[in-house]
């Protein structure tokens, strides 16, 4: 089966002209590796660029996360210094009845907060909301813990924080001028509010709320310089955007903007969609639950690879075209001389030995052409001197032999003998001559040496019929022949000599006839005779 498949696959190739074979082989050897190299280079460049991009994004997010963690820890330490200040606690829980004690309280709070704001200039404002009704609010550092405070976005997280630091993102406010003048609302930029419950070591009895407002611009400064070819976000634990280049996105859930397989793990990466295009997303978390998210467009990443590949592919196409042209010229140069040799060979085949003196170089093809020219001259001499004389002699001898054993003469003679036997009423001679005529008609067979087994069997049966007339009932022939073997080709008179030897050399018994069994079958596609 394998050999048959190989024959089917190679047969069309064998029938193609030699020039086309050379062209196909050369083109396959030259062009295929070049195309493979181009596409392999594209795949390798794409994979390597993706790997480097992932690594760069991971390094960027790690660095931003580390810087963000340091900054938030610094703010938390400032709040801790106030949270753990025993004098501030006493001031906030003391009941005041005189102005002198209030002056001392205001003086301490003002000096403490101003020192903190001076040493931490990135903090916009600091405020304590107190339940102490005996301390008047200055609306600068001290405010009343009233219903307006409870409506602030930062209040609910801090009320459940049990004294821990919370961070709440607040968008920019731009109220009308009259509300600003009346003190109803303030104009403020986008900011992050650090809030902390002041609980006097008792979670059930807080004595105030500390808030520190940090401009979002201060957080954004951590990622501002890293925006080259990427989008960066700082996201809160709840998934809301804390800082981004587009300030309209603040407080929006990032998962609604970037679709993909967001994981609960602190660090990770995935392929997602952002603004209708595929993007790589790498994120890194810090201890507070905030995340630094880096996004790179897949199309912009692959754009450079495609540009490099287009240049490489253009160069490859030019080289392939040049290679095909050179291959065609080389194949034509080689095959043209071979075609000339073929024409010379066909002239020799037609017994035309008048070869032109054609110079084809000194390589193998040229040497073959030179040898062929010499051979044609020698053949011409041999045929002129010897070959034609011998052929004429043989033809004369064959003509004489054919005249002597003319089959028609033989058939007519046997027919005459058969007719005389019928006139003499001698049936045995008639049958013998008839079978002998059949035998010679098949055996001569117009000079053919290969006949079908069916014809060989008829020839054998004619010979057996003659022998059975000779031995008068002492010879029996039995046939065990598979019908499918009749078309098989055999050499003429392949079976008859064996039967003749069996008759001549068998051990005869005067009382029992000689039995010869002839079997024919196929075995593995081969004709087997017994």
């Amino acid at each position: 089966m394998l050999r048959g498949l190989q024959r089917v696959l190679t047969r069309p190739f064998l029938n193609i002209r030699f020039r086309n074979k050379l062209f196909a082989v050369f083109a396959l050897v030259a062009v295929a590796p070049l195309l493979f190299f181009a596409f392999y280079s594209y795949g390798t460049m794409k994979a390597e660029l993706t790997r480097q991009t992932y690594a760069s994004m991971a390094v960027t997010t790690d660095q931003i996360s580390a810087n963000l963690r340091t900054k938030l820890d610094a703010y938390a330490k400032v709040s801790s210094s106030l949270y753990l200040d025993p004098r501030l606690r006493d001031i906030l829980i003391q009941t005041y009845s005189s102005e002198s004690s209030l002056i001392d309280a205001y003086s301490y709070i003002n000096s403490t907060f101003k020192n903190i704001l001076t040493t931490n200039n990135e903090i916009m404002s600091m405020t304590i909301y107190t339940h102490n009704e005996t301390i008047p609010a200055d609306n600068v550092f001290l405010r009343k813990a009233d219903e307006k405070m409870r409506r602030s976005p930062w209040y609910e997280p801090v009320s459940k924080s049990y004294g821990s630091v919370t961070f709440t993102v607040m968008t920019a406010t731009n109220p009308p001028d009259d509300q600003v003048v009346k003190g109803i609302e303030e104009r403020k930029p986008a900011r992050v509010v650090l809030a902390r419950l002041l609980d006097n070591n008792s979670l059930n009895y807080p004595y105030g709320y500390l808030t520190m407002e940090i401009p979002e611009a201060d957080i954004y400064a951590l990622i501002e310089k890293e925006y080259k070819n990427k989008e960066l976000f700082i996201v809160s634990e709840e998934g809301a955007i804390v800082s981004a280049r587009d300030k309209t996105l603040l407080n929006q859930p990032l998962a609604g903007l970037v679709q993909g397989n967001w994981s609960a793990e602190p660090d990770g990466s995935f392929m997602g969609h952002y603004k209708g295009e595929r993007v790589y997303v790498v994120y890194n978390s810090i201890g507070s639950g905030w995340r630094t998210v880096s996004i790179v467009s897949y199309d912009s990443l692959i754009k450079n690879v495609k540009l490099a590949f287009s240049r490489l592919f253009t160069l490859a196409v030019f080289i392939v075209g040049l290679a095909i042209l050179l291959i065609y010229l080389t194949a034509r140069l080689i095959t043209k001389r071979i075609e000339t040799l073929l024409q010379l060979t066909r002239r020799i085949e037609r017994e035309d030995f008048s070869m032109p003196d054609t110079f084809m170089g000194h390589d193998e093809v040229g040497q073959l052409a030179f040898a062929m020219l010499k051979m044609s001259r020698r053949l011409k001499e041999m045929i002129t001197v010897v070959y034609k004389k011998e052929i004429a002699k043989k033809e004369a001898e064959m003509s004489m032999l054919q005249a002597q054993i003319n089959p028609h003469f033989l058939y007519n003679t046997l027919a005459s003998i058969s007719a005389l036997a019928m006139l003499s009423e001698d049936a045995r001679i008639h049958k013998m001559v008839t079978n002998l005529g059949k035998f010679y008609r098949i055996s001569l067979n117009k000079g053919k040496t290969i006949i079908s087994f069916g014809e060989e069997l008829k020839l054998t049966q004619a010979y057996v019929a003659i022998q059975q007339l000779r031995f008068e009932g002492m010879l029996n022939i039995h046939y065990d022949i598979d019908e499918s073997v009749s078309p098989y080709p055999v050499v003429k008179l392949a079976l008859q000599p064996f039967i003749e030897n069996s008759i001549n050399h068998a051990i005869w018994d005067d009382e029992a006839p000689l039995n010869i069994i002839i079997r024919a079958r196929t075995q593995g596609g081969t004709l087997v005779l017994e």
Side-chain angles (χ1 to χ4, degrees), residues 366-394:
Q367 294 178 19
L368 181 60
F370 180 73
M372 186 173 291
L373 290 173
K374 289 185 65 177
M375 181 186 69
S376 66
R377 295 190 184 101
R378 293 187 62 185
L379 283 174
K380 184 177 181 180
E381 294 175 359
M382 292 176 61
I383 290 174
T384 303
V385 176
V386 179
Y387 187 67
K388 287 190 175 181
K389 292 182 179 179
E390 291 294 326
I391 290 297
K393 181 179 178 182
K394 293 295 182 182

Side-chain angles (χ1 to χ4, degrees), residues 119 149 170 181 219 245 390 398 451 482 511:
T119 56
M149 179 205 74
M170 298 185 68
V181 172
I219 304 296
R245 177 163 49 188
E390 291 294 326
M398 290 297 295
I451 61 175
D482 188 347
E511 297 180 358

